[in-house]
Amino acid sequence: MSRHLSLQIHPGRGLGFLILGASLHDILTRLKAQPHLYPTIDVTYSPTQPIFAPVVLNLPANGLRLRFDGPDQRLRLIEVLDFGRTQLSYKNIDLVKLHEDPTWTSAGPGLRSQHGPAFRHVYNRLMGPTFPGEYLPPKEATASQSGLYVLSYPGIAFTFPLQHTAWSPAADFVSLLSSNAAAPAKSLAIFDGASWHEARQDLFTRPCPNARSLALSMKGKEHQPDEVDLVSVCGGGVVELLRRSSAPFRIVLGETTPQDLVAELGPPDAIYRKNDHRLSIHKTRRREQRTSHGSYGASPPRSEDCFDTDHSSAHTTTDDSDAEDNDVQEDDHRQSSAKCFYNYFHHGFDVFISYPSNPSPPFPHTRSSDHPLTPPKAMDHLVATKVLLHGNVPGSYPFNRYRRSRWVIDPETTGTDEGMDSETSFSTLAEELRNMWRGNYASAQAEKATQNAIVLDRDWGDSPGSSYEILGGWEDSEQSQKKGSSAQEGSGSGTTQIYGFPGMLFEVLKNDTLLPKKWQATISLPKTSFPPRAFLGERQKYLDNCSTGLYRWQRGQRNAERDGIFVLHDGPPFANGPLHIGHALNKILKDITCRFQLSLGKRVDFVPGWDCHGLPIEIKALEQHKVHDVTKYHASLSPLKIREVAGQLAIAAFEAQKKAFQQWGIMADWDNPWKTMDRDFEFRQLEVFSSMVKRGLISRKYKPVYWSPSSWTALAEAELEYRDDHESIAAYVKYPTLLDIRGKSTEVHALIWTTTPWTLAANQAIAVHSDLLYHIINTPKHGRLLIASTAAILKEQFLGESFEIVDSIKGEELVGQKYWDPVFTRSVTHRPILHADFVSATTGTGLVHLAPGHGMDDYELCQRHGIYAMAPVDADGCFCPSSTPDWQKALAGLSVLHEGNEKVLEILASNDALVKKDRYHHKYPYDWRTKQPVIIRATAQWFADVGQIRDAALKSLDNVTFVPKSGKERLASFVKNRAEWCISRQRHWGVPIPALYHMDTGEAFMTPESVDHIIGMLKNHGIGLWYIDNPANPRWIAPSLLAKYGPDRFRRGLDTMDVWFDSGTSWTTMMKEGDHQVCAPADVYLEGTDQHRGWFQSSLLTYITRQTGCEASDGVAQAPFKTLITHGFVLDGKGRKMSKSIGNVTSPDEIMQGTLLARNKKKQFEALGPDALRLWVASSDYTSDVRVNTDFLQTIHTNLIKYRNTFRYILGVLEDFKGPLDLLPTDLSTPHRIALLQLRDAFDSVHGHYSRQDYGRAIADINRYIAQDLSASYMGMVKDVLYTDRGTARWQAQLTLLIIHQCLQTMLAPVIPLLVEETWHYTPNYIKNVFVHPMTTLWADQKVDLDRFDEPQLAEDMPILDDARKAVNTAQEKARSAKCMGSSLDCYAMLQIEKLGEGVQIATECFQRYLSDFATLFVVSRVDVCEGFPPLHVWSPEWIFSEEFEVNGTKVIAHVFKPSEAKCIRCWRYLAPVEAKPEEALCDRCEAVVDELRQSQPHLFEKTPEEEEAVSAIA
């Protein structure tokens, strides 16, 4: 998006969206929404006649000036004063050709032209012929002076400089302006009228034909409710709205419903709810959201028009309230929560919605029959009960929050000769109303009590909610005092008062509120071009600078040997689809870790990687070719085609994921990422495999593995996910046995219990436990059964029949005895009963059937006894076909997980072997990709022997730091329980296992020689040849095998390596030249907790195997990581796993764009970009599962806005800072020293948390520091000196804020780099030339600077000073509650130390040390300290309030009392002489500043043309 402004001229109508007749509110709202286009907005008004004189809006960066009439605040005149700052065109013809100029504006490069349009261009090409204009001579008619010729057309006029000597009334103006005596146009005006000469006579007073609302003024917009021209107050609770073209609409308080308001006025722009003091912005202004300028006027401007540090929700267009949640059981709470204001910013008023209250009385002269006074109706629905009309007085605290609302008190209902209106002075209006109501009060005291003014505390930029709260609660007798005090908190101006009359309230601006121009110009208000909202068009620039650009810079500037190196090795994500919220948690945690290490001065190596092989990608490749049954892929696609398609998909996913990662601001080596499908990576992996073969760690075995029938491949433990709701059919099955019990043969049936009845077809033995006691029980139906004694007692109810124990036998006596299987074996073949440690009687019967082909433990036990593993199940998970025995024929082709299992139970039942079956829910493994259940099946697979390296791997973990600490035990448990690692997969997309198989016997051949030979062939010819070469080609056979077996006796294997072996060897990407066998361990591995059984484990095992003899230089093998950090999973707000079927999936984009909050909170939220996502990650406790909670996200949103506002305020203060920068603690006053001590403590704490990877606590400390120490304390203290002082005191505050600014950037840079980068872009050049970029600033350097401010005495005194400040604040609150003061400057303070106790000396010495700074510390006008009884003048004022506190047991009383001096008109402190005129009263400090400015900048005290006259000529 271009930064350059381009506007079309519409004579008599407007310039671009600047439409004549539009309200000041609408224009300003739209301008402020585009700070990148309108960086500077200056508003000029008359301080003496703010609502009569025109309001002038200057846009110097754009060369424009807009003039509005005072009473109605409607745009009347548009002036172009500099043609080189905005591209202007008329009927698509440019007025002037502009060129790029990189220097002309502080906001950056822009457009520039040396002059305006020439007369010939205007006259011949643009506007055409016109009547002669008028000539304005220069003030001094000399030969060198030029006058101005005003060339006027309907609705537009140009001024051309003309040499005065060339002017002649008789001369033809076309010839004159075409000659060399005339210069190109100097200015242009757009107005409503036939000519400038005619229009200027009544330009600001004539009726305006256009609408006030820009939406109504512009064509092509959908219908909008008609706007209100005038509000007529009729009394008796009736307010009549007179509209531009529609019929009047009456609001009858107590009767008009919200539905009536919406029908007549449209939906409100916002809703302010009283119960939670929050503003909900209405979302239905789709007409405005479709414009290129964004959503204008939908909300009051955020605090861009002020630099206050109050970051309440009412300052923003967002909040944390839920506008729809009012369904409350209790009636009183229901009424409270239902109360709200309908805010009509465009109409200029609010309507209070509540349940009916007492009606307003009619005006005294109104006939009672016209307005009968009736009690409120018993309604259970909401109605309008109050209307607030906003005057929008220029210079007042709510200026331009609303369109100005003009009103009149209807003279017909009041009985007065003339109407009282919004332009009537309050003194006149109040006198009329007092006379009107005088006979209606019970007494003079009652009249005075009602009309007594309440002083309100109003700050510049105060939230709109504060007005609502005061005016909405003023009449509520129970709450009025509380509400009044609430609104007066803080350091406001105390510039308004409320006056009450029956049915009406007036909030009146004091006369001294509008600071006269001569004083206003001397105030140093913050000023910066740093926008209040991030400009999306510039985000990519900041993103590139703080991520890829920063990484390249540090790689070039930081030296590994000199500065140290930090390596974070990336755990590769699968390149198989879009990124999800879990990716964001992982990658951003890594980025924060790397950025913090960068700030420590190290060079960072963070090379992103991708896992591109494996089943997930192969499945997508098959689905792309319409192969939905992946077990049948071989019938339609060749292996090479599968690899080709899978590779293309992986590359596409890699590119998409890489781009998405970069959009999150991840600082990494994006120029050199690695992929497991890269040729170099694959051969490094094969070399690791070869080294394991040489060490004898790779072998082929026929043993049970996890097998996925849905994927047709073996799976590792890490490729499984377990479901707790799996349902199996559990069966109790009996096997006949002839037991030898004490020398006597006894026929019984051994009763086993299994959840996989289909495995009974492969039964080879039964296991018991030697230590258990077994009973023989006799049952009527099933005969004698053998069962563990601890289980037998529980089985009576289960069997459904009575039984008796007839004998017992120890488990050790059962071991070695025999049983047989009459169901699945044709002949009687005796099978053994074995002991097994894993047998227990807690579940089942204490006897376990063993199928070594379908169970890991079964296999290990049977192998020790020489029992062969049988698995009559094929790769599809179906029983294998066979001619014999009969049962196998019946089962052939049936799925063991479905109908095959049912058939087995049927066969058992028909042979009287099934005792009972039932449904059983339990935990069961599923394929992590197909989400289908797996089975355990014996197949021939390649295995890595983990047992040989297990002890070395476990010992290496002793030297690893784990975050959290529990990670060590978790990883160790997985390593301990793993003896072998199945590394072969029956897929095509992966690295092939270099194995050969004998054509006749199927025997596998893998020797060091054969492996190296095959790897050499692959290097020379490519891995693809392995799949397409002639099967009989002998070139793959190693010479020794070729000599022994001949050329045509081997085939190549098609198994590929486990993807965990792929990624597990990714440490090879860190190897440098000179590394032997392995690289140096990475500083950090950081992944999810599921990687303890996955990537962490595979990386550890492959790294250990590569170390010669499993030893390092110290005799102990090293792990590939020095620190292992794990994070939890991301869940939804209810703690559930995210699932598309549930509909609770959250994407990272939803957080960045604010749409997640908008969807859940039912209102619009500002898109805060990658920083919002990053701050959410950093603020979360990642060591456990992280929830995406909208309330928490809203806090993140609010905090990010608070950071921006804080930086903006500081940058505004520093805009004119010019040094010096040398600073010593002795140079500073107490508030600055305290601020730096607090900063140092926060800085050290945050550094400690970052060092421990405890990012959540780091952010919490930053938030606490900004909210408490900075915003709520220090900034309030120094506002006075920043705004009104121009000497050393202001320099101290600026320098302190500069240090705070630098440290805040350093603390926040790892988390929100885009905002920090943007703040640097807008930092004043003087500071940029002295300091280094915040992304490259070192913590150690700033720590050295902060340590200079270590002041033990001040640190010791700070608790006492804090107690004193709190006591003064409490006393001030008492004064505010009594309506005695508003602003904290409206009082003096006295600290009275009682002469008793041990703390007298401590308190006295402490207070004397800082007495000169107490007024600043406490934000009052003056502070004194006394011992014992205070001086007489303390007790003499009109009011005084006190609060006690203690210092080491000594009581100290903090008094606040009415000032004895006058209020300084410039700084508002009560330190001016009482005899001075209020409009001229200055304190000594302000007097000195003003005197200095009179001499150095006399132009500040000259009257502007706007003050000289309301309307000036276009010249």
Side-chain angles (χ1 to χ4, degrees), residues 1203-1337:
Y1203 299 156
R1204 186 175 195 89
N1205 288 344
T1206 301
F1207 279 126
R1208 185 167 183 262
Y1209 179 83
I1210 297 177
L1211 287 174
V1213 168
L1214 296 176
E1215 184 67 24
D1216 61 348
F1217 179 71
K1218 300 300 179 184
L1221 294 170
D1222 297 332
L1223 181 65
L1224 295 173
T1226 54
D1227 296 332
L1228 297 177
S1229 60
T1230 306
H1232 314 308
R1233 290 153 57 201
I1234 290 176
L1236 291 174
L1237 279 178
Q1238 292 172 330
L1239 175 64
R1240 188 195 64 179
D1241 292 343
F1243 195 77
D1244 290 346
S1245 176
V1246 171
H1247 180 273
H1249 292 317
Y1250 273 131
S1251 300
R1252 294 184 292 273
Q1253 295 84 38
D1254 196 347
Y1255 306 131
R1257 283 192 171 91
I1259 294 301
D1261 277 2
I1262 293 172
N1263 291 339
R1264 183 210 58 78
Y1265 169 75
I1266 292 176
Q1268 298 179 18
D1269 297 339
L1270 186 58
S1271 295
S1273 181
Y1274 180 68
M1275 285 184 174
M1277 295 177 188
V1278 299
K1279 271 186 182 179
D1280 174 64
V1281 296
L1282 287 171
Y1283 295 176
T1284 61
D1285 208 312
R1286 287 182 174 264
T1288 302
R1290 187 167 188 271
W1291 166 79
Q1292 290 181 10
Q1294 284 182 303
L1295 196 49
T1296 302
L1297 283 173
L1298 174 58
I1299 296 172
I1300 292 172
H1301 177 70
Q1302 298 294 107
C1303 290
L1304 272 180
Q1305 286 181 316
T1306 301
M1307 290 190 286
L1308 288 169
V1311 177
I1312 49 171
L1314 268 76
L1315 178 57
V1316 173
E1317 181 71 34
E1318 189 181 3
T1319 62
W1320 177 254
H1321 177 76
Y1322 287 95
T1323 297
N1325 288 331
Y1326 175 81
I1327 298 173
K1328 280 186 177 182
N1329 294 334
V1330 176
F1331 292 94
V1332 299
H1333 195 289
M1335 296 293 179
T1336 63
T1337 300

Side-chain angles (χ1 to χ4, degrees), residues 330-350:
E330 297 80 10
D331 184 64
D332 57 343
H333 185 74
R334 178 177 66 88
Q335 293 196 27
S336 174
S337 63
K339 293 180 180 180
C340 64
F341 283 91
Y342 274 23
N343 310 124
Y344 288 98
F345 302 128
H346 286 75
H347 291 311
F349 55 78
D350 304 317

Side-chain angles (χ1 to χ4, degrees), residues 307 842 1030 1045 1459 1484:
F307 283 88
T842 54
N1030 188 329
Y1045 295 98
D1484 291 342

Side-chain angles (χ1 to χ4, degrees), residues 263-281:
E264 292 288 342
L265 303 175
D269 300 303
I271 297 176
Y272 176 80
R273 299 196 175 276
K274 285 192 62 180
N275 66 310
D276 56 8
H277 313 285
R278 291 165 182 170
L279 196 67
S280 302
I281 302 304

Side-chain angles (χ1 to χ4, degrees), residues 28-29 71 113 217 283 321 535 550 571 619 672 829 861 909 1032 1057 1078 1111 1127 1254 1340 1491:
L28 264 179
T29 300
S113 175
S217 300
K283 300 189 303 179
S321 64
F535 175 43
L550 180 61
I619 288 176
N672 302 290
T829 302
L861 178 61
M1057 293 188 195
V1078 294
E1111 295 178 352
H1127 60 77
D1254 196 347
D1491 287 345

Side-chain angles (χ1 to χ4, degrees), residues 682 685-687 689-690 693 698 942 983 991-997 1004-1018 1026-1027 1036 1041 1051-1057 1061:
E682 291 178 328
Q685 177 181 333
L686 286 167
E687 289 170 2
F689 182 84
S690 175
V693 172
I698 305 296
W942 292 100
I983 62 171
V991 177
I993 293 179
L996 300 174
Y997 297 87
F1005 284 80
M1006 182 182 289
T1007 66
E1009 179 192 9
S1010 70
V1011 169
D1012 287 346
H1013 178 79
I1014 292 172
I1015 292 175
M1017 287 290 298
L1018 295 174
W1026 179 262
Y1027 294 93
W1036 298 97
L1041 293 178
R1051 62 177 175 85
R1052 299 184 300 279
L1054 295 180
D1055 288 351
T1056 56
M1057 293 188 195
F1061 196 95

Side-chain angles (χ1 to χ4, degrees), residues 239-254:
V239 178
E240 188 172 48
L241 308 182
L242 306 178
R243 295 183 282 189
R244 190 165 59 100
S245 55
S246 305
F249 168 54
R250 281 201 164 196
I251 298 177
V252 181
L253 300 182

